[in-house]
Amino acid sequence: MNYRHGGLDISGRVTGKTVTDKTDFANVIDTYLANHWHQEAQSKVNDNVKNLQTMVQANYIVNDSNSLGARYGFTRTPHHERYGIFSSVLSQDGEDIERNESEIVYGEQRGNHSLNVYYNGKVGKWELDFNADGLWNKTTGHTVSDENTWSGVENDIRDVRTENINRNTLLATKLVAGHPFAGGMMYIGGEASVNTSNDVHTDESGFTKTD
């Protein structure tokens, strides 16, 4: 989308996509020393991601000496799920020593906001160049895993539930001002930024052993 009238220029876009990916992996290693060691590993992973991106910006040319504008972007991943199955076997001279099986489900949601504002122009004899940026994002992830390990005598079963919430904020600004001085131009300016981050991790795990 784009709209122009006089010195005003407004544009925007909205895009969305769904991505599905499947990965299969298998590996076999045989080692011959005093004994014959045999290792097998297999994994199957399915990924499904849905993503939405939006952007709108406006620029306005006031006159030959002044212009200003702003740009806002929003990215949202409401659905990202990963499902994986993993297994491995270790044997010595044809006898299993250890077997591992695990099933993992990972879900994630992301949200990102970005904002840019600028002004470039003249106020009286002053030349001004101003720019400000803001970035805000939040990511929430959930993991559920079931792991079963057999070591020849007993099974070790582990159930893990975790949640991770991460928030980040970045604010930055810059201003440069120029003024005629002694037949030339004198420029002064400065820039500043603030960055904050908050990470909350919750782990709820249960361990049980069965013969």
Side-chain angles (χ1 to χ4, degrees):
M1 179 197 75
N2 184 259
Y3 171 78
R4 292 181 179 179
H5 179 73
L8 180 64
D9 185 352
I10 300 175
S11 61
R13 70 172 184 266
V14 178
T15 59
K17 63 180 179 180
T18 298
V19 179
T20 300
D21 183 55
K22 296 183 179 181
T23 304
D24 292 340
F25 172 81
N27 188 36
V28 177
I29 300 176
D30 286 291
T31 304
Y32 296 90
L33 298 171
N35 303 97
H36 173 206
W37 295 91
H38 179 78
Q39 301 176 59
E40 293 183 13
Q42 294 182 339
S43 66
K44 294 183 179 182
V45 179
N46 295 336
D47 266 310
N48 185 269
V49 182
K50 295 180 180 179
N51 181 264
L52 174 68
Q53 293 182 334
T54 63
M55 184 279 294
V56 60
Q57 65 179 9
N59 301 287
Y60 183 56
I61 301 176
V62 182
N63 50 45
D64 292 339
S65 301
N66 294 274
S67 62
L68 54 90
R71 181 184 186 276
Y72 171 74
F74 174 64
T75 302
R76 172 69 173 163
T77 303
H79 176 84
H80 178 191
E81 183 177 88
R82 174 175 295 174
Y83 174 73
I85 298 177
F86 308 89
S87 63
S88 65
V89 177
L90 173 64
S91 64
Q92 178 185 7
D93 297 329
E95 182 178 350
D96 290 348
I97 295 178
E98 183 178 277
R99 294 195 300 267
N100 294 280
E101 295 179 354
S102 62
E103 183 177 0
I104 300 176
V105 179
Y106 174 76
E108 182 182 87
Q109 297 84 40
R110 289 177 176 263
N112 298 278
H113 300 266
S114 63
L115 177 66
N116 172 262
V117 178
Y118 77 90
Y119 169 76
N120 187 279
K122 290 184 177 181
V123 178
K125 294 184 178 181
W126 286 95
E127 294 183 1
L128 301 177
D129 183 3
F130 173 77
N131 198 292
D133 290 283
L135 178 64
W136 302 265
N137 64 62
K138 177 183 177 182
T139 302
T140 302
H142 304 270
T143 303
V144 177
S145 66
D146 297 317
E147 303 174 8
N148 188 346
T149 300
W150 178 83
S151 57
V153 179
E154 61 182 12
N155 285 340
D156 292 340
I157 300 175
R158 181 184 182 188
D159 298 322
V160 180
R161 308 289 187 271
T162 62
E163 180 184 71
N164 193 76
I165 301 176
N166 180 266
R167 293 181 176 91
N168 292 286
T169 300
L170 174 63
L171 301 174
T173 183
K174 181 183 75 172
L175 174 63
V176 177
H179 194 276
F181 179 76
M185 289 293 297
M186 177 182 67
Y187 291 94
I188 59 174
E191 56 184 66
S193 64
V194 177
N195 186 13
T196 62
S197 179
N198 180 261
D199 194 10
V200 178
H201 181 78
T202 304
D203 190 340
E204 181 180 348
S205 304
F207 299 87
T208 62
K209 290 187 177 182
T210 61
D211 293 334

